[in-house]
């Protein structure tokens, strides 16, 4: 399967079993992270930005104080792809 092909429901369900904390919301991979402070949340966002830029794949995200909400989808493909799964996995590593 091409990285730019949307995952079918069974492949998506399988991928979710390996992505701690992520779920599907509004047809996007969705997760909210909570940190001890705004500075820690912002540092996390900066780290994610560097990884996302290197992958050429950018999240939809929202930050308020110590919370960062991230949604992932591949707009060009019209759904969640392996690229989203890969970025979500790397985001989890950064949050650990």
């Amino acid at each position: 399967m091409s990285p730019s092909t949307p995952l079918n429901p069974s492949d998506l369900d399988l991928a979710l079993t390996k992505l701690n904390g992520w779920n599907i919301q509004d047809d996007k991979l969705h997760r909210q992270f909570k940190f001890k402070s705004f500075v820690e949340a912002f540092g996390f966002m900066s780290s994610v930005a560097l990884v996302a830029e290197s992958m050429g794949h950018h999240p939809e995200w929202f930050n308020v104080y110590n919370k960062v909400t991230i949604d992932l989808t591949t707009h060009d493909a019209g759904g969640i792809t392996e690229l989203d799964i890969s970025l979500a996995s790397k985001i989890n590593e950064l949050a650990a």
Side-chain angles (χ1 to χ4, degrees), residues 49 52-60 71-73 75 87:
E53 184 66 17
S54 75
M55 293 175 70
H57 191 56
H58 304 95
E60 297 175 14
D71 290 308
L72 299 174
T73 188
H75 295 283
L87 181 53

Side-chain angles (χ1 to χ4, degrees), residues 41-53 61 90-91 94-95:
F42 194 86
F44 167 74
M45 291 177 72
S46 295
S47 296
V48 170
L50 294 172
V51 170
E53 184 66 17
W61 55 9
K90 291 176 185 202
I91 289 169
L94 292 170

Side-chain angles (χ1 to χ4, degrees), residues 4-50:
S4 62
T5 302
L7 297 173
N8 65 49
S10 61
D11 288 339
L12 185 53
D13 287 342
L14 178 62
L16 281 171
T17 66
K18 301 173 186 175
L19 288 175
N20 184 38
W22 292 84
N23 61 52
I24 305 299
Q25 192 172 84
D26 299 325
D27 297 321
K28 300 173 185 177
L29 279 178
H30 175 85
R31 182 165 180 194
Q32 184 176 81
F33 296 86
K34 186 174 181 181
F35 299 94
K36 292 179 182 177
S37 67
F38 172 75
V39 170
E40 192 174 319
F42 194 86
F44 167 74
M45 291 177 72
S46 295
S47 296
V48 170
L50 294 172

